[in-house]
Amino acid sequence: VQLQASGGGLVQAGGSLTLSCAASGDIFRVNSMGWYRQAPGQQRELVVTVARDGSPNYADSAKGRFTVSRDNTKNSVYLQMDSLKPEDTAVYYCNAEVMVSKNYQYEYWGQGTQVTVSS
């Protein structure tokens, strides 16, 4: 199973970006998906997770500015980021809990995509 993330880049403060992530491979079902981020010198932190039924769990830093969505038919998750701030600068990682059979579930990470917000 692989997670392929895309959509990062450089944006000015107040701007928007949309991140995308698709899971591929030998997949029985994708359960929770989400996004984490890691700024230089800091630990990786939760941005948002979204359950298979679409119910989200946002970190306080993301509430009101970021919107997560997913497409179960494409095993994909998306993150619309608005009103970006310089402190949002980080490498963003896609995460997914993937069932590879009826009885086995594993956690997978994407390769990370850089988001840089200039002031």
Side-chain angles (χ1 to χ4, degrees), residues 94-109:
C94 175
N95 173 274
E97 294 179 348
V98 180
M99 295 183 70
V100 297
S101 70
K102 288 192 296 183
N103 298 314
Y104 292 95
Q105 175 173 288
Y106 300 99
E107 182 179 39
Y108 294 90
W109 292 89

Side-chain angles (χ1 to χ4, degrees), residues 17-115:
L17 280 175
T18 301
L19 306 183
S20 301
C21 175
S24 62
D26 196 7
I27 296 171
F28 177 76
R29 187 174 70 196
V30 180
N31 289 326
S32 176
M33 301 188 81
W35 294 93
Y36 291 72
R37 67 186 184 186
Q38 187 168 19
Q42 298 187 19
Q43 291 188 336
R44 191 172 298 187
E45 63 177 13
L46 169 72
V47 177
V48 61
T49 59
V50 56
R52 185 170 177 81
D53 65 2
S55 56
N57 176 38
Y58 290 98
D60 288 344
S61 59
K63 289 179 181 176
R65 300 187 301 124
F66 295 1
T67 303
V68 69
S69 60
R70 63 185 288 171
D71 184 339
N72 292 333
T73 66
K74 297 180 179 179
N75 291 328
S76 294
V77 63
Y78 309 95
L79 183 64
Q80 173 68 38
M81 303 185 292
D82 298 317
S83 302
L84 283 162
K85 305 174 182 179
E87 51 263 44
D88 294 317
T89 295
V91 177
Y92 284 68
Y93 295 92
C94 175
N95 173 274
E97 294 179 348
V98 180
M99 295 183 70
V100 297
S101 70
K102 288 192 296 183
N103 298 314
Y104 292 95
Q105 175 173 288
Y106 300 99
E107 182 179 39
Y108 294 90
W109 292 89
Q111 82 283 11
T113 184
Q114 177 71 46
V115 172

